[in-house]
Structure formats: structure tokens, C-alpha cells
Amino acid sequence: MTAPLPASLRLCVRRRRVPGPTGAMVQVSLRVPSDVACIEEVVDLLMRHCCDGGWLCRRSRFNLRVATAEALANAIVAGNQEDRSKWVQVQAEVCGDEIRIEVTDQGPGFDPAAVPTPILPDDLDRPNGRGLFLIKNLVDDVRFNAQGNSICMTLRRR
Amino acid sequence: MTAPLPASLRLCVRRRRVPGPTGAMVQVSLRVPSDVACIEEVVDLLMRHCCDGGWLCRRSRFNLRVATAEALANAIVAGNQEDRSKWVQVQAEVCGDEIRIEVTDQGPGFDPAAVPTPILPDDLDRPNGRGLFLIKNLVDDVRFNAQGNSICMTLRRR
Amino acid sequence: MPFTATKDQAGVYVIRVEGQLIVGNRQELKTAVQQALDHDERRFVIDFSRTGYIDSSGLGALVSISKKVREQGGELRLSGLNEDLRSLFELTKLDTLFAISDTAERAVGSFAG
Amino acid sequence: MPFTATKDQAGVYVIRVEGQLIVGNRQELKTAVQQALDHDERRFVIDFSRTGYIDSSGLGALVSISKKVREQGGELRLSGLNEDLRSLFELTKLDTLFAISDTAERAVGSFAG
Ligand SMILES: Nc1ncnc2c1ncn2[C@@H]1O[C@H](COP(=O)(O)OP(=O)(O)O)[C@@H](O)[C@H]1O
Ligand SMILES: Nc1ncnc2c1ncn2[C@@H]1O[C@H](COP(=O)(O)OP(=O)(O)O)[C@@H](O)[C@H]1O
């Protein structure tokens, strides 16, 4: 779904033929408004600029799409509370066989260790609580900053 | 045609919901290596970020694609002589009902007034010399800087 | 439109999700099912053969929809999940909660006459 | 591959341009025709029904190809130009230089048996 009015957005892409100072071949940064209608486009932009060609297998691309959509949704809804005066910052890097996507919001953060696992039989019919669980199972590594308003996801090419 | 190795590239897109200080809703800048294999991708990126949705009619989008491909080819081949140490800078802006695309190379420039019209019957079987003529006929306004290494094309929505 | 709904001859209401089912549009799907329930539809298939990806909100919306349909004495089946989409249901164990058919046709056919 | 070539039963060599015909790939088209000429092909159709856009280098390449084919006693027709592509030939008056058919089938059919 595309937003009826194109949302405001800042996108910077830096692509190199040889690794840059941080080892990155591709660096993408995006400043996204706190509007869930942007998520699909942002996921598409990231995939297009980071995973062009056959670099990642189909399943990895799928997993990255879902994990990125989740992280954006959490940043926009749980983090920034859909406050349009706040932004979500996305940084993505392709380094060697890894792709790293970092999503940072302007909210208070949270304690990811306190989030329960959502797959107990009694919880199966709860409508939420599956986002972080999905992310952790779809990418190879997930880290948060101390405050909890920034998540960094790493996926390795296989 | 996509380049076998993705070319180095810098892309910045700034999109607003309301016009910015220069009146622009969308500003795109691109730094492109002097490699003709990049042209198609650059044209696609510009079209995607400037002419998303139904903003321009089909014919206008086509004309803009061709004019932009031409200007890039001239900048890369005639301007920078395909010297990989030189870059082509592209700036695009959508302001109200106009889209402006400026292509600047690092070459010596030239005198556009000295370029002959290529449609005389005797010249029809010449293999080149149609680029500027096409550009002038495909967009609404064409300007050069004094040096002749920068072309600015304007197309109005109709 | 991200969702297209058709009612088949056997009276089964088939909703196809085109594109993504995510936080930005799941409400539309919930509304579509609710409206159909209000119009006395009771047999639903949600088909994902033209779906790209689903996020946790989309999965959550399916859980809510399933509950609503059951509460009103209806039945819901899912269909058209490719390998990638199916993995999301398996990871979250939601494959145990939903009746899942390979294709929309089979899902329709599996409703008791 | 941006160009696909097939030889039809009547012995006409049909080359389809997929995507763009521009400065970055026109040499491939020239080479493809030259190789066919070297293999004694003499009847050519270049079809643009799956072409996005053509730049002035692409138009120039067609001019060169046309000349080469004529010099070797062959014939060339173009086909499948949509309204947008056709406008480029009209602007540059190249529509007067080329034999143009609506479709590749008609172009093939128009060669003298
Ligand atoms: N960026 C964030 N900022 C603040 N809280 C967050 C953030 N991301 C996740 N959370 C918290 O973690 C909880 C679990 O998140 P998640 O597993 O994605 O499920 P859901 O979002 O469906 O509740 C959320 O309800 C929220 O309280
Ligand atoms: N950016 C540029 N820098 C220097 N010379 C240029 C540039 N653009 C065009 N020219 C000159 O103008 C001439 C005509 O250009 P054009 O009409 O595009 O036809 P062609 O490129 O096929 O010769 C070129 O041959 C070149 O000498």
C-alpha cells in the first residue's frame, strides 16, 4: 500500500565499488516520519539499495523485509507513538557478507529482556506481542542500545 | 541493462509534504561515475523519486527519460570523456507543476549554439548529432551555464 | 486496493490479500471481515497467493479475525501461503491455530456442504 | 540479455530489443547484426515491442546498421514501435529513412517471397 500523499522522507545512498573506511560497500540512511503508511516504501527502498541483484537468497530477503517492517512498526508505534513531530532514523550497511540495519526512534526506549515469549499455548490467541520474537528468529543477530530506542539487526549471507 | 558490478553512486532524496524553502516538494541529488553503464539506473532512480504515482502523463515520463538519458550520455562521454576519476552531478527538483533536472560534468564545456540541426535530408544517415536536438524537442525548456558543462532541463506538467 | 473480496457459488466469502498485510493496512482487512459478518457471511477464506509479506500486526489481525468469526458461529480458513509466509506461521506456532489449505479452491471445497 | 534473436521459417532474422537501446548497449546490437551478416543473413527485422526507450546513440546505431545491411545487399525493417518510440523517429525524420511495420509478423511478411 502506498500512502495517498507521498510522505516526507530523506534518503541517502552511498554505494562503492570497493569497501569504504568502515568496510561498507553500501550505506543507506533514511529519515522517516512517524507514519505507519511509510513502512512499505521504506522496506522497498532498503531492499532495493542494499540487496540488489542476487546478493541475498529469496528466503533471506523475505526475512529481512519482515524484520525491517517489524522494527519500523515498533519504532513508529511503540517508540514515537505516531507523533508526527518525531522521526525514525534508519541506517543500513552492507559489509562483506553481512547486512546491518539499525532503526532508531525518539521514544523513551524499553527493556527488551522484559518482553515475554509469545508462543505459549495459552498466549496463541493474543493479537500482539510477536514482533520482537519474529525479528529474533528471522535475522542472525539482534542488539539494542542501553536506552532501548535503537535496534540493530544483522543478517549474514549464506 | 544493469551493470554487472553495481557502480559506485551517491543518491540523496529529500521529499516534503509541503514545499520547502526553494518551493521544492522533492529534491534529488546524485553523484554518478563517468560510466555509461550507469545511465539506465540513474534514469530509473530519478523517475522513481521525482515522478512517482500519476504525477506526469505517460508521454511526459517517456520524454523525460529520453532527455535525461541523453544529457547523462553527453556529460559522461562528451564532457568527462569517460574518465573514471571524474563525476557527473545530477540535481532534480519538483516544484509545483515543474520538474527541473540539471546535469553537470567536469569537462571543458562547449558552445551549444554551434551544434547544427541534424534533420537536413543529407544528414539523415549520420550516426550522431541528434542528442541535443532530441532534448530540445522533448522538454519545455533547456538552458546551459556559460561554460557549457551544465545543462538544465525543465518539463511542465500538462 | 490491497484486498479483493469475492463470494463464490457455494457461499464462501474469499478475500485475497494483494501486496502486504502489515500494521498500516490490517485494519482494512478486519473491517472487511466485520462488514461481511454483519451481512451474515459465515464462511471465510483469506487467500495469500498474491501476498508479499506479513508482519506481526498482520498475524495478530488474523488471530483477532479468527476469534470474531468463531464467536459468530462462522468458519475461517487460510490458503495460498508460500514457503516463506508459512514459515512465519510455523515460527509463531500459529499454524496450530488456523485451518490452512494449499489453495483457495481447496479451502472452499473443504467447507462441509 | 537485452537482445534476443530468432530466425523465422521464411529466413528472416528477427532481433527483439528488450529494455532500452542506449549508448551503453547499442554496440551489442551492432555486433549482433554484423555477426548475422557474416553468417549470410540478409533479411532483418528489429522489433521494439518490448523496448522502453531509445536515445540518440540508439537511433544512430540503427542508422549505421541500416547502412551496413544495405551495403551488403540486405534489407532491414523496424517493427513494434509504440506511439512514444515512434515520436522519436518522427522528430528526427528517421521515419523517412526506415521501413517501419506495425508488428514483427507484418514486417516479416512484407519481405518479397
Ligand atoms: N522501539 C520501541 N520503543 C518502546 N517500546 C518498544 C519498542 N519496541 C518494542 N517495544 C515494547 O515491546 C513490546 C513488545 O513488542 P513486540 O514484540 O514487537 O510486540 P507488539 O508490538 O505487538 O506488542 C511492545 O508492546 C512495546 O511495549
Ligand atoms: N556536456 C558536454 N560537454 C562537451 N561537449 C558536449 C556536451 N554535450 C554535447 N557536447 C557537444 O555537442 C555535440 C552534439 O551533441 P549531441 O547533439 O548530443 O550529439 P552527439 O553526442 O551524438 O554528437 C557533441 O558531439 C559534443 O561535441
Side-chain angles (χ1 to χ4, degrees):
Chain A
M1 208 179 56
T2 317
L5 254 177
S8 55
L9 192 110
R10 260 196 238 165
L11 164 70
C12 289
V13 178
R14 196 184 176 125
R15 204 169 66 192
R16 295 182 173 86
R17 257 187 210 280
V18 287
T22 68
M25 302 290 287
V26 184
Q27 287 172 300
V28 179
S29 75
L30 267 155
R31 201 178 77 140
V32 186
S34 298
D35 180 351
V36 292
C38 298
I39 291 175
E40 188 172 349
E41 182 183 12
V42 172
V43 169
D44 283 351
L45 287 170
L46 284 169
M47 297 306 292
R48 189 177 306 128
H49 290 294
C50 292
C51 311
D52 217 12
W55 191 75
L56 279 182
C57 70
R58 194 206 66 218
R59 172 61 69 90
S60 292
R61 285 200 309 272
F62 177 85
N63 288 357
L64 203 57
R65 272 180 202 279
V66 177
T68 306
E70 285 299 338
L72 287 165
N74 278 347
I76 291 170
V77 181
N80 287 349
Q81 313 262 319
E82 301 183 70
D83 174 347
R84 296 301 169 88
S85 69
K86 292 184 173 157
W87 298 90
V88 172
Q89 187 65 38
V90 183
Q91 305 274 3
E93 269 197 359
V94 178
C95 282
D97 275 347
E98 285 191 353
I99 171 162
R100 262 196 305 280
I101 297 184
E102 191 178 280
V103 178
T104 307
D105 61 59
Q106 297 183 290
F110 74 114
D111 176 9
V115 174
T117 290
I119 54 168
L120 300 178
D122 281 354
D123 295 337
L124 279 192
D125 63 349
R126 293 189 46 200
N128 44 32
R130 293 179 183 86
L132 291 173
F133 177 81
L134 271 187
I135 292 176
K136 284 182 195 148
N137 281 281
L138 294 173
V139 301
D140 294 301
D141 187 57
V142 182
R143 279 160 209 233
F144 295 86
N145 67 351
Q147 190 186 330
N149 68 329
S150 182
I151 181 172
C152 181
M153 307 176 288
T154 305
L155 189 137
R156 272 181 280 283
R157 189 180 173 183
R158 62 207 70 230
Chain B
M1 209 180 53
T2 317
L5 253 177
S8 55
L9 193 111
R10 259 196 238 165
L11 164 70
C12 289
V13 178
R14 197 185 175 123
R15 204 169 67 191
R16 295 182 173 87
R17 256 188 212 280
V18 287
T22 69
M25 301 290 286
V26 184
Q27 287 173 300
V28 179
S29 76
L30 268 155
R31 201 179 78 140
V32 186
S34 299
D35 179 351
V36 292
C38 298
I39 292 175
E40 188 172 349
E41 183 183 12
V42 172
V43 170
D44 283 350
L45 287 171
L46 284 170
M47 297 305 291
R48 190 177 305 130
H49 290 294
C50 292
C51 312
D52 216 14
W55 191 75
L56 280 182
C57 70
R58 193 207 66 219
R59 173 61 69 92
S60 293
R61 285 200 310 272
F62 178 84
N63 288 357
L64 202 57
R65 272 180 202 277
V66 177
T68 306
E70 285 298 339
L72 287 166
N74 278 346
I76 291 170
V77 180
N80 287 349
Q81 312 262 319
E82 301 184 69
D83 173 347
R84 296 301 170 89
S85 69
K86 293 183 172 160
W87 298 89
V88 173
Q89 187 67 38
V90 184
Q91 304 274 3
E93 268 196 0
V94 177
C95 282
D97 274 347
E98 285 191 352
I99 172 162
R100 263 195 304 280
I101 297 184
E102 192 178 279
V103 178
T104 307
D105 61 58
Q106 297 183 289
F110 75 114
D111 177 9
V115 174
T117 289
I119 55 168
L120 300 178
D122 282 353
D123 293 340
L124 279 193
D125 63 349
R126 294 190 46 202
N128 44 32
R130 294 179 183 86
L132 292 173
F133 177 82
L134 271 187
I135 292 176
K136 284 182 196 149
N137 281 281
L138 294 174
V139 301
D140 295 301
D141 187 56
V142 182
R143 281 160 207 232
F144 295 86
N145 66 351
Q147 190 186 332
N149 68 329
S150 182
I151 181 173
C152 182
M153 307 176 288
T154 304
L155 190 138
R156 271 181 280 283
R157 188 179 173 184
R158 63 207 69 228
Chain C
M1 276 287 294
F3 306 111
T4 57
T6 49
K7 189 167 172 177
D8 101 319
Q9 296 165 322
V12 179
Y13 201 77
V14 180
I15 301 178
R16 280 177 214 277
V17 177
E18 324 249 354
Q20 330 312 334
L21 176 59
I22 54 182
V23 61
N25 67 359
R26 66 178 162 162
Q27 190 54 48
E28 291 177 54
L29 182 64
K30 288 168 85 167
T31 305
V33 173
Q34 186 57 56
Q35 285 175 348
L37 280 170
D38 294 346
H39 285 84
D40 295 327
E41 303 297 343
R42 286 296 176 271
R43 291 170 165 187
F44 292 90
V45 170
I46 302 181
D47 181 69
F48 296 94
S49 54
R50 286 186 249 164
T51 305
Y53 57 92
I54 304 178
D55 73 359
S56 68
S57 297
L59 294 174
L62 295 174
V63 169
S64 308
I65 287 168
S66 157
K67 211 190 268 182
K68 270 242 169 66
V69 169
R70 253 182 293 123
E71 282 167 7
Q72 313 239 355
E75 281 178 82
L76 168 71
R77 300 192 74 93
L78 310 184
S79 69
L81 295 167
N82 64 26
E83 206 187 307
D84 295 337
L85 291 170
R86 190 175 264 271
S87 75
L88 299 178
F89 287 81
E90 287 164 1
L91 275 173
T92 54
K93 308 249 188 262
L94 289 178
D95 56 332
T96 63
L97 196 80
F98 291 104
I100 299 177
S101 302
D102 278 359
T103 65
E105 293 66 39
R106 285 208 196 165
V108 166
S110 67
F111 284 107
Chain D
M1 275 291 291
F3 307 112
T4 57
T6 50
K7 190 167 172 178
D8 99 318
Q9 295 166 323
V12 180
Y13 202 77
V14 181
I15 302 179
R16 281 177 212 278
V17 178
E18 323 248 357
Q20 331 312 333
L21 177 59
I22 55 181
V23 60
N25 67 0
R26 65 177 161 164
Q27 190 52 49
E28 289 176 56
L29 182 65
K30 288 168 84 167
T31 306
V33 173
Q34 187 55 58
Q35 285 176 348
L37 281 168
D38 294 345
H39 285 83
D40 294 329
E41 303 297 342
R42 286 296 176 272
R43 293 171 164 185
F44 292 89
V45 171
I46 303 182
D47 181 71
F48 296 94
S49 53
R50 284 185 250 164
T51 305
Y53 57 92
I54 304 179
D55 72 2
S56 68
S57 297
L59 293 173
L62 294 173
V63 169
S64 307
I65 287 167
S66 157
K67 211 190 269 182
K68 271 243 169 68
V69 169
R70 253 182 292 124
E71 283 167 6
Q72 312 241 356
E75 282 178 81
L76 168 70
R77 298 192 75 93
L78 310 184
S79 69
L81 295 167
N82 64 27
E83 205 186 308
D84 295 337
L85 292 170
R86 190 174 265 272
S87 75
L88 300 178
F89 286 82
E90 288 164 1
L91 276 174
T92 54
K93 310 250 187 261
L94 289 178
D95 56 334
T96 64
L97 195 79
F98 291 104
I100 299 178
S101 302
D102 279 358
T103 64
E105 293 67 40
R106 287 209 193 163
V108 166
S110 67
F111 284 106

